[in-house]
Amino acid sequence: MNAAEELTEPDRMIAYALQANGRATWGAIARALGLSERTVQRRGQRLLDAGLVQVSTYLDTTIVGEAHPLVLRLSTRTGAALTVGRELARRPDASSVSVVEGSGDVVCMLLPRTREDSARLLLTELPSIDGVDSVEASTVLRYFRSGYDWSVGDLPAPVVETLRADTPTRSAAASGPVQLTREDESLVAALAEDGRATVISLAKAADISAPTARRRLEALFGAGALHVRTELSSAVHDLRVEALIWLSVPPDHVETVGAALGCRPEVRFCVACTGSSQILVDCLVSDPAALYSFLTGAIGSLGSVTVARSSVVLEALRRGPMQMANMRHE
């Protein structure tokens, strides 16, 4: 399975179900979709094996650690953008890396754990990468949509609710930063590689008992430190144009504008940040005409908002913990 034409409607429904809850069992997905468990398991595993669907987890460093995420725009020498982007995508603290249209631009989000990490990144590590001419940095101040909470597809609402009924979510009582233990770090690393890993395999990776692994996972999900994240190839959803849009917004309108854009179906990521632009939006649409409609309609209707810059993504190199090389099926 490596081309869009090979995908059937059940394939797409299973992919959308995994995006609703990447850790749902095949049996739970089968019951929610009204398909046989054997069919769901066979087709779902094929989607995973082909790289059309990838399930991992997202570690929220605003809860784990003391530094906020950084959005970086790097200008590179002619011909070096892809090489620089690939080097950034291999970093363990990379969350999103894209090569965008422009004069050798790479845009990424990195997740430093400490203030010292942030300073070292900006003052030493990034400027020393071969091919980088300049670095422009912004600090993420507020998430309106984080990527892991975006979904595509048209599953009926009751089906989505059923799939998410047992999804690990943040407890209402959760507050304050979370300190990860050595065992927690092992669990997080294993889930970044395979978000559907069983509790037994995770326990083995962390060298702890299965009940302890289950308890630690419940604590991490309950604290909001960890989230399940599922990425789908464009062969599944056919949304082939991705764009990054920087918006200039009056300070007293940032919350309203961010909340309005954060719930739009085209928007997979939306944050308030420092710098000359107050909001950054990552949108995914079907074609350039749909992007035009989003810019002139969804954003144009917001009144006091000005588009400071918009760039089409030429190559998505990393999303969450996953390098995206295997996500391309063209």
Side-chain angles (χ1 to χ4, degrees):
M1 179 186 292
N2 56 13
E5 57 267 24
E6 295 181 8
L7 294 175
T8 65
E9 190 61 19
D11 291 327
R12 290 188 169 83
M13 293 301 101
I14 293 167
Y16 299 155
L18 285 168
Q19 195 170 40
N21 181 1
R23 287 186 61 79
T25 66
W26 297 127
I29 293 174
R31 290 189 294 274
L33 297 180
L35 300 172
S36 74
E37 183 171 350
R38 181 179 179 183
T39 295
V40 168
Q41 181 173 5
R42 176 171 53 84
R43 291 181 176 274
Q45 193 60 53
R46 287 178 65 204
L47 291 168
L48 295 170
D49 292 343
L52 293 168
V53 178
Q54 295 189 34
V55 181
S56 68
T57 50
Y58 172 80
L59 185 68
D60 189 339
T61 58
T62 64
I63 294 175
V64 177
E66 58 182 24
H68 278 242
L70 296 173
V71 173
L72 304 135
R73 192 162 70 204
L74 298 88
S75 294
T76 67
R77 291 199 303 268
T78 301
L82 198 54
T83 300
V84 170
R86 286 170 176 162
E87 181 171 345
L88 289 167
R90 289 191 291 268
R91 292 182 60 96
D93 57 357
S95 176
S96 177
V97 182
S98 303
V99 177
V100 304
E101 61 185 4
S103 54
D105 279 3
V106 177
V107 178
C108 66
M109 187 167 81
L110 301 184
L111 308 175
R113 292 281 190 91
T114 68
R115 295 184 181 91
E116 290 76 17
D117 289 341
S118 295
R120 185 172 61 253
L121 274 170
L122 297 177
L123 301 178
T124 306
E125 293 184 9
L126 297 178
S128 68
I129 295 176
D130 186 37
V132 172
D133 285 338
S134 65
V135 180
E136 180 182 338
S138 299
T139 298
V140 173
L141 302 175
R142 165 100 156 81
Y143 283 101
F144 297 105
R145 175 164 281 171
S146 308
Y148 66 82
D149 54 356
W150 175 80
S151 62
V152 67
D154 52 0
L155 289 179
V159 172
V160 174
E161 291 172 7
T162 297
L163 289 166
R164 290 179 174 172
D166 61 347
T167 303
T169 55
R170 185 173 186 178
S171 167
S175 63
V178 173
Q179 298 295 324
L180 298 186
T181 65
R182 179 185 63 81
E183 291 80 8
D184 291 339
E185 295 279 8
S186 297
L187 293 172
V188 169
L191 280 168
E193 291 292 326
D194 180 8
R196 289 182 61 77
T198 65
V199 171
I200 292 175
S201 65
L202 292 171
K204 184 177 180 180
D207 194 23
I208 55 179
S209 69
T212 298
R214 188 182 303 278
R215 187 165 58 251
R216 290 309 306 152
L217 288 175
E218 290 174 353
L220 291 171
F221 282 117
L226 199 59
H227 306 269
V228 180
R229 176 168 179 162
T230 302
E231 290 289 339
L232 306 183
S233 164
S234 60
V236 176
H237 53 59
D238 204 32
L239 300 176
R240 297 183 178 274
V241 175
E242 183 177 3
L244 298 174
I245 305 165
W246 287 262
L247 302 176
S248 295
V249 183
D252 58 338
H253 290 178
V254 169
E255 183 70 20
T256 301
V257 170
L261 291 174
C263 64
R264 289 200 57 96
E266 308 96 325
V267 174
R268 65 187 301 170
F269 177 80
C270 180
V271 294
C273 52
T274 62
S276 57
S277 301
Q278 289 68 51
I279 289 179
L280 170 62
V281 173
D282 179 351
C283 73
L284 197 60
V285 294
S286 58
D287 53 35
L291 177 59
Y292 177 80
S293 295
F294 179 72
L295 288 168
T296 58
I299 292 179
S301 65
L302 294 173
S304 58
V305 175
T306 301
V307 175
R309 175 173 177 155
S310 61
S311 297
V312 169
V313 173
L314 302 178
E315 189 83 26
L317 298 175
R318 182 160 180 158
R319 293 292 180 265
M322 297 169 292
Q323 296 188 48
M324 303 293 285
N326 294 327
M327 298 295 286
R328 296 180 62 84
H329 299 268
E330 302 177 358

